[in-house]
Amino acid sequence: MAEVDGNTILAESLRKQGIEYVFGIIGIPVVELSMAMQAAGLKFIGMRNEQSACYAAQAIGYLTGKPGVCLVVSGPGLLHCCGGMANAQVNCWPLLVIAGSTSVDHEGIGGFQECPQVELSRPYCKYAARPHNASLIAQHVEKAVRLATFGRPGVSYLDFPGNILQAKVSASTVDYYSCPEVPLCHPEPKSVQEAANLLALAKRPLVIIGKGAAYARAEESVRKLIQNANLPFLATPMGKGVVPDAAPQCVASARTLALQKADVILLLGARLNWILHFGRPPRFAADVKVIQVDLCPEELHNSVLSRVAVQSDVLPFVQALFMRLVQKRFTFTAQREWWRELKDQCAKNQKTVAQMAQDASVPLNYYAVFHHLQQLIPKDAIIVSEGANTMDIGRSMLHNSLARHRLDAGTFGTMGVGPGFAIAAALFCRDRCPEKRVICVEGDSAFGFSGMEIETMIRYKLPIVIVIVNNGGIYSGFDQESYDTMRSDGDLTQVTPPSALTVETHYENMLTMFNQKGFFVREIPELQKAVKESLTLKDRPTIINVIISPNAGRKQQAFGWLTESKL
């Protein structure tokens, strides 16, 4: 009977589960495994940093619904991707991390990169295990993929000592079988009726759409519900595009008013965490009635007690709610007082933003950059965004018309995700919709975390447009004169502000390492020319380095960032 080794079993097991992409950095003991993966037909993308590999693998999981694999070496390799694992787990994105580890006969005596990897991974995983022999690999792979995708998506970790990967067993002892389709959780009819009744009686209803609705592929049904019932809605950052930002029911420009005065809120795949100010006053009305729809029962009633709590996938709930509201002949007409308030506030705030967006004076401000960028990028582009003001202001200025077309720092607020996310998005587009473009909008500080992934983009010929909004600092920077004055006398570690970065760093020159050319931009006409030229490139990335005022900020906010409840 033919024999097969652990590397081949693992690669074939992943293929049987429908895994398509592997991101990682190879070394002992996973070199042969990476080659076995390619031989099995998997697409291997070699990255420059394990964290970025982990970010890319989880982003492909979100975009496709099938976990990406992050392959790393033992010890430091796994530790480097723990931040990515935590980000995927908190974001509820499917991810499978596979790490090599020291051979079992070297454990306890100082083996190479010896590390308690299964134990270290458990806080960031739904499932963490080490198969005890090669014959069990396929079984563990199936379970890992199943747990990463069933219920609330998350992370699975599998640990493989070098001797198990190299071990050979009889092919007849390996039982390959595919993970079944993810089952849908349907709502109780009584809960749907209660939700419909509460919405029908609301004077100031509001729908909040989260990335859970995007992951659930519920956009068609959610759009139908919003349009037919004419309900005002807001989207969380990665819930953008489930219903287009340009839809007449979108009240993002009146976010503060909408949250403060809504008397009934329907939560679709969103959580009342810090992103939504925990659902508490002063950001929300003290007596607001919440209809909470979540796949995970442990999430129900989190932070505040929901009036109607529904355990369900978003898609079947929205379909059922739509039918109930149709039966009631319910439409929240445009003549209602709530709509008048919201539209008036939207118009007022949009006027303020428009004035800032039209200010093209040098040095530029965020709003002018994003306004003119929005005019030129394709409407169906996948937008990756990270940074502080870059991400927050960009969320309101760069519109999405399709679900799963915005990727950002997410629930964990993780910096450095941008290049990895963009690589995953570009591969997704290459293989499924080659005409679609990826726009990666980075703050200069955020870009510094993972900037060397530009080499990965070059190597795999990924046409990613990177726009760096460069203010020379973290949150804010300094002009050259102020920077030089502060650093002119004393120990640089004592006189350089912790928030300062080098003034006007020429990040675009990174492309000269590959005999390519980027763009250095100070003025709007230069930005327009750079974007247009960048969009013509089909087989390589580009960097547009946009210098803005170091003091550029956002319009005045009614509440400070991370406003908490006042009890």
Side-chain angles (χ1 to χ4, degrees):
M1 181 64 68
E3 288 188 320
V4 61
D5 66 13
N7 289 311
T8 303
I9 296 169
L10 179 49
E12 185 63 19
S13 298
L14 293 169
R15 188 188 69 82
K16 292 281 188 181
Q17 302 307 325
I19 301 297
E20 187 175 358
Y21 300 94
V22 181
F23 302 84
I25 300 177
I26 66 166
I28 297 170
V30 297
V31 176
E32 292 82 4
L33 174 58
S34 65
M35 293 186 285
M37 288 173 165
Q38 287 184 314
L42 304 181
K43 298 168 183 175
F44 184 89
I45 301 91
M47 304 286 284
R48 299 305 302 265
N49 178 280
E50 287 93 350
Q51 278 195 7
S52 289
C54 203
Y55 297 143
Q58 64 193 258
I60 208 74
Y62 175 66
L63 292 169
T64 65
K66 181 68 70 171
V69 170
C70 177
L71 176 65
V72 297
V73 300
S74 50
L78 176 66
L79 288 171
H80 288 167
C81 78
C82 283
M85 294 167 71
N87 188 71
Q89 185 73 357
V90 175
N91 250 6
C92 307
W93 285 1
L95 168 69
L96 174 56
V97 176
I98 293 174
S101 59
T102 191
S103 295
V104 293
D105 56 325
H106 291 177
E107 289 181 341
I109 57 173
F112 176 66
Q113 296 183 333
E114 182 180 352
C115 184
Q117 296 175 187
V118 176
E119 291 81 359
L120 284 170
S121 299
R122 282 205 174 99
Y124 316 111
C125 294
K126 293 178 69 178
Y127 178 65
R130 170 194 285 184
H132 287 283
N133 60 62
S135 296
L136 296 173
I137 289 174
Q139 175 183 329
H140 280 277
V141 169
E142 186 279 331
K143 185 174 182 179
V145 172
R146 177 160 39 88
L147 268 65
T149 52
F150 277 36
R152 173 173 281 183
V155 184
S156 289
Y157 171 70
L158 291 177
D159 191 74
F160 291 98
N163 59 312
I164 289 183
L165 290 174
Q166 297 163 11
K168 292 185 177 182
V169 297
S170 171
S172 64
T173 66
V174 182
D175 186 15
Y176 297 103
Y177 55 99
S178 299
C179 175
E181 289 188 12
V182 178
L184 276 181
C185 177
H186 288 257
E188 292 182 346
K190 179 183 176 183
S191 297
V192 178
Q193 185 63 58
E194 290 175 352
N197 292 342
L198 200 56
L199 278 173
L201 294 173
K203 293 181 180 179
R204 297 181 301 279
L206 178 68
V207 180
I208 299 179
I209 303 169
K211 71 173 177 286
Y215 183 80
R217 274 65 180 168
E219 54 264 31
E220 183 177 339
S221 293
V222 175
R223 292 180 185 191
K224 194 175 177 182
L225 171 68
I226 294 294
Q227 292 167 1
N228 282 267
N230 198 41
L231 290 167
F233 79 91
L234 295 172
T236 64
M238 281 188 278
K240 282 163 56 71
V242 172
V243 181
D245 291 335
Q249 293 84 9
C250 180
V251 293
S253 297
R255 185 177 189 269
T256 295
L257 174 69
L259 294 179
Q260 272 194 309
K261 290 194 173 183
D263 61 352
V264 173
I265 290 178
L266 172 60
L267 280 179
L268 295 176
R271 292 175 279 179
L272 291 177
N273 53 21
W274 67 272
I275 292 177
L276 289 175
H277 313 278
F278 312 104
R280 298 178 182 178
R283 288 296 251 154
F284 290 74
D287 59 350
V288 64
K289 301 177 182 66
V290 176
I291 304 166
Q292 184 183 13
V293 183
D294 202 286
L295 179 63
C296 180
E298 290 84 356
E299 186 64 35
L300 299 175
H301 306 294
N302 186 50
S303 186
V304 299
L305 189 67
S306 297
R307 179 60 63 93
V308 181
V310 188
Q311 182 191 3
S312 175
D313 279 279
V314 172
L315 179 59
F317 172 82
V318 171
Q319 291 172 334
L321 178 64
F322 175 81
M323 294 306 301
R324 292 284 186 178
L325 293 178
V326 167
Q327 292 168 3
K328 286 178 170 290
R329 298 184 178 179
F330 169 77
T331 300
F332 195 75
T333 62
Q335 288 70 44
R336 300 289 288 267
E337 177 66 16
W338 181 227
W339 264 124
R340 185 190 64 77
E341 288 185 62
L342 291 169
K343 292 296 185 183
D344 287 350
Q345 190 63 43
C346 281
K348 179 181 176 181
N349 289 343
Q350 287 167 358
K351 182 178 179 181
T352 300
V353 169
Q355 291 172 344
M356 301 173 75
Q358 295 298 330
D359 178 9
S361 59
V362 176
L364 297 169
N365 68 75
Y366 286 102
Y367 293 88
V369 171
F370 291 139
H371 170 71
H372 290 90
L373 182 60
Q374 169 65 30
Q375 289 183 325
L376 293 172
I377 62 176
K379 294 186 184 302
D380 66 344
I382 295 180
I383 299 172
V384 179
S385 182
E386 65 169 332
N389 287 332
T390 297
M391 182 173 65
D392 292 340
I393 300 172
R395 181 181 67 230
S396 63
M397 300 293 292
L398 301 176
H399 297 164
N400 292 98
S401 58
L402 298 171
R404 300 172 299 284
H405 278 57
R406 178 183 166 89
L407 306 173
D408 68 20
T411 311
F412 210 38
T414 307
M415 289 295 103
V417 298
F421 282 3
I423 287 168
L427 288 163
F428 174 84
C429 292
R430 183 199 69 175
D431 295 341
R432 289 165 171 79
C433 40
E435 296 304 314
K436 196 183 293 290
R437 299 309 302 268
V438 176
I439 314 296
C440 182
V441 185
E442 299 273 303
D444 51 332
S445 172
F447 180 71
F449 283 79
S450 308
M452 269 312 298
E453 296 301 341
I454 188 73
E455 189 273 332
T456 307
M457 300 175 192
I458 289 282
R459 193 169 2 118
Y460 291 101
K461 298 184 177 181
L462 301 176
I464 299 166
V465 179
I466 301 173
V467 180
I468 300 174
V469 185
N470 188 348
N471 68 353
I474 301 171
Y475 299 116
S476 61
F478 302 89
D479 59 38
Q480 191 68 60
E481 183 178 357
S482 300
Y483 183 77
D484 291 341
T485 300
M486 287 185 299
R487 291 162 46 87
S488 63
D489 185 25
D491 184 335
L492 291 180
T493 65
Q494 296 286 302
V495 299
T496 304
S499 63
L501 300 174
T502 303
V503 177
E504 295 191 1
T505 300
H506 281 259
Y507 296 104
E508 78 286 354
N509 284 344
M510 291 178 71
L511 287 171
T512 62
M513 296 187 293
F514 314 104
N515 297 317
Q516 304 294 342
K517 176 185 172 186
F519 301 89
F520 185 78
V521 168
R522 291 187 188 276
E523 301 179 356
I524 291 302
E526 294 173 333
L527 174 64
Q528 293 170 323
K529 181 176 182 295
V531 173
K532 290 176 182 177
E533 186 172 331
S534 296
L535 289 172
T536 66
L537 303 175
K538 302 297 185 182
D539 63 350
R540 64 179 176 89
T542 191
I543 297 174
I544 304 173
N545 185 17
V546 186
I547 303 301
I548 67 168
S549 168
N551 300 312
R554 60 188 307 179
K555 75 178 184 66
Q556 187 174 357
Q557 303 294 297
F559 291 90
W561 184 67
L562 279 181
T563 299
E564 295 189 9
S565 60
K566 302 294 187 288
L567 300 177

